Amino acid sequence: MLDQGAPPQSRTPSAPPSPGVGARLMRRKPVERLVAEGGQGEGGSLRRSLGLWQLTMISIGATLGTGIFVVLGEAVPKAGPAVTLSFVIAGLTALFSALSYAELAGTIPVAGSSYSYAYATLGELIAWICGWCLVLEYGVSVAAVAVGWGEYLNELLDGTIGVTIPDALSAPPGDGGIFNLPALIVVLLAMAFLLGGAKESARANTIMVVVKIVALLLFCVIGVQGFRSGNYEHFMPLGMAGVSAAGATLFFSYIGFDAASTAGEEAKNAQRDLPRAIMLSLVIVTALYVVVAAVAVGAKPWKGFNDSEAALAEIMRNVTGQTFWGTLLAAGAVIAIASVVLTVLYGQTRILFAMSRDGLVPKVFSRVHPKSGAPRANTLIVSLFCGVLAAAIPLGQLADATSIGTLFAFALVNVAVVVLRRTRPEMNRTFRVPLSPLLPALGLAFCVWMMGSLSAVTWVVFGAWMAVGLVFYFSYGYRRSRLAAADTEVPAVIAEK
């Protein structure tokens, strides 16, 4: 029998069991926490100084230039005159994803872009994969763009002072060079602007964006004088497969419209301005791409492009019979591509800033300089890495690898917007994707289709990149995640009691 007079035994509350590996990998970061941490870094905070105009210019700056000045020469031999259709297909793919980006940017206005959106909706492991893809998208595209910058710099030097940088110092290994010095220089110039702070960088970028839009409009005015309808007689010589392959390559041209979303913690009114900036920039860029491509193919037979990385300057020179106009366009291209390097490099640093704040990459990437309000150490590390990469890797391989990483990240954003609609329907959304979930599903389908159009080599490179990323996550990020650390503190406190 029990002794009725015995004092009751004291009961110590037991700590709940620690979450398993699967639960930790699927752990989501609350939207409220993401927003509350906005701007906060190690030793300081980012400054909110960007309005709608600056945000739109950041997106245009990061997008407009590369595809039309550089990658067009690679895409035309794949699709022929139908390259204009390839631009439209790539633009539609970007549009569907841009709608999803616009909704999430207005709902979760933080610096991490699709990485943060995935963290709030799909869990930590998927967020890491998305962030790792963004490193490929932004960091590697900086290098790819910088490679093309040297081609136009040589055009400019040849037309002005009659000298060019030798191939050994202006082309990467594999393309006849030893070290691509111009590519390294343009990355370091962009780094110098970024170290001054977001506001100063945005001002310089706005000036460069205006210059490159004027340069492209000038090309259209002069290039149309050499237009020959016969160049369009065999519109689709390589069939739809060629159009699709060129579209997948040209999707590289649309990388950057999401750059405004990386400025979420430096925008004055992020929820209102980010969706507007994303959509406005994409419309402007797509219109310019299609018009310029149509004029270029009309002025030069498609078989004559031959992977030229300075195709527009050549067309200007051939149409006018003078070197002046080609030189002038080359000057515009030098400025245009420099602005792409500047804004895409900016986006890369802000994504790593967000990942570092979450503990998934080292703290040095979220350290903010108190005077400039910029992550200086982050900027230095990323710039030096991208500069060396630009000097050592051929453009074509970089462009395709960047495209597949971007498409994968965009696919996740289309999934994330539907998940957040279902899990948090009460949240305030300053922009809503129309016809959801139909349009996000189309965005996802287009991304998968275009990924399938890329070469087997590109998939192998992408698989290797993902494998490296997972090794880094499980050896570093998994153990140092601040979200996981915060959740384990509660059971520890209960156990002490």
Side-chain angles (χ1 to χ4, degrees):
M1 292 181 60
L2 294 174
D3 184 357
Q4 301 295 329
Q9 295 181 354
S10 60
R11 297 182 179 180
T12 302
S14 59
S18 300
V21 174
R24 287 191 62 175
L25 296 180
M26 297 303 294
R27 194 188 317 271
R28 300 174 184 176
K29 188 172 183 179
V31 174
E32 291 77 9
R33 181 172 173 178
L34 278 167
V35 176
E37 291 179 352
Q40 299 177 18
E42 294 287 333
S45 300
L46 301 177
R47 297 173 183 173
R48 294 192 177 274
S49 58
L50 306 177
L52 175 61
W53 173 252
Q54 290 94 339
L55 293 170
T56 304
M57 290 299 103
I58 286 174
S59 282
I60 295 177
T63 311
L64 182 62
T66 311
I68 208 67
F69 281 109
V70 180
V71 184
L72 180 65
E74 292 190 4
V76 173
K78 295 180 180 179
V83 70
T84 52
L85 183 58
S86 299
F87 267 115
V88 172
I89 291 174
L92 283 174
T93 304
L95 175 61
F96 290 131
S97 296
L99 292 170
S100 296
Y101 262 101
E103 177 170 327
L104 291 173
T107 309
I108 313 174
V110 293
S113 186
S114 52
Y115 155 76
S116 295
Y117 309 153
Y119 212 164
T121 57
L122 303 174
E124 185 172 283
L125 178 61
I126 302 300
W128 167 263
I129 292 173
C130 186
W132 194 244
C133 285
L134 291 176
V135 172
L136 185 65
E137 173 190 348
Y138 281 87
V140 180
S141 67
V142 167
V145 173
V147 170
W149 188 76
E151 294 286 331
Y152 277 99
L153 180 63
N154 263 339
E155 288 278 340
L156 178 60
L157 293 174
D158 186 41
T160 52
I161 60 178
V163 299
T164 59
I165 303 173
D167 287 345
L169 294 177
S170 63
D175 284 358
I178 298 174
F179 191 81
N180 193 327
L181 183 60
L184 176 61
I185 290 173
V186 71
V187 174
L188 295 180
L189 288 173
M191 178 188 74
F193 280 111
L194 291 175
L195 290 175
K199 186 175 182 179
E200 291 73 14
S201 302
R203 185 182 296 115
N205 172 65
T206 298
I207 296 172
M208 290 190 284
V209 168
V210 171
V211 169
K212 66 181 174 182
I213 290 177
V214 170
L216 288 174
L217 293 176
L218 178 64
F219 168 81
C220 292
V221 170
I222 295 177
V224 75
Q225 299 175 30
F227 192 92
R228 301 289 182 270
S229 59
N231 290 340
Y232 278 93
E233 285 184 357
H234 303 288
F235 182 69
M236 201 180 294
L238 301 175
M240 196 61 198
V243 174
S244 175
T249 296
L250 288 172
F251 190 78
F252 177 79
S253 312
Y254 290 91
I255 293 172
F257 75 81
D258 57 323
S261 66
T262 66
E265 296 174 21
E266 291 163 287
K268 295 177 182 177
N269 191 337
Q271 289 187 306
R272 182 196 67 187
D273 292 341
L274 288 179
R276 296 179 182 181
I278 290 171
M279 299 308 301
L280 183 59
S281 64
L282 186 62
V283 170
I284 294 172
V285 167
T286 302
L288 279 170
Y289 276 167
V290 172
V291 172
V292 173
V295 172
V297 175
K300 183 176 183 177
W302 70 274
K303 292 183 178 180
F305 279 79
N306 296 324
D307 292 341
S308 172
E309 293 176 359
L312 299 189
E314 292 177 8
I315 291 172
M316 291 275 277
R317 188 167 53 246
N318 294 337
V319 169
T320 62
Q322 302 175 6
T323 60
F324 171 77
W325 296 107
T327 302
L328 187 62
L329 186 75
V334 166
I335 295 173
I337 298 173
S339 75
V340 177
V341 173
L342 173 65
T343 48
V344 175
L345 192 64
Y346 166 84
Q348 174 67 97
T349 59
R350 270 45 180 185
I351 289 165
L352 285 171
F353 175 87
M355 296 177 73
S356 173
R357 186 172 55 202
D358 291 332
L360 302 185
V361 297
K363 290 182 179 180
V364 66
F365 290 101
S366 58
R367 191 175 300 153
V368 177
H369 192 273
K371 185 177 180 180
S372 65
R376 284 193 171 181
N378 180 343
T379 302
L380 285 168
I381 294 169
V382 172
S383 299
L384 292 175
F385 171 79
C386 292
V388 172
L389 192 64
I393 304 294
L395 172 62
Q397 296 175 17
L398 286 174
D400 284 348
T402 304
S403 291
I404 196 170
T406 305
L407 287 164
F408 192 86
F410 284 9
L412 292 178
V413 169
N414 284 298
V415 174
V417 74
V418 175
V419 171
L420 194 63
R421 282 274 192 103
R422 294 184 178 277
T423 57
R424 299 294 302 275
E426 80 288 352
M427 291 191 68
N428 177 43
R429 290 168 169 83
T430 55
F431 177 87
R432 298 178 70 91
V433 179
L435 301 178
S436 180
L438 176 61
L439 292 189
L442 286 174
L444 174 63
F446 266 76
C447 288
V448 172
W449 174 52
M450 295 194 75
M451 288 174 71
S453 300
L454 293 168
S455 67
V457 173
T458 302
W459 275 95
V460 171
V461 172
F462 180 66
W465 178 261
M466 286 292 100
V468 171
L470 289 174
V471 169
F472 186 89
Y473 170 71
F474 283 106
S475 62
Y476 185 92
Y478 177 79
R479 296 184 293 108
R480 296 174 181 265
S481 166
R482 292 185 179 178
L483 184 61
D487 286 351
T488 55
E489 287 175 2
V490 176
V493 171
I494 294 176
E496 289 176 3
K497 293 181 179 179

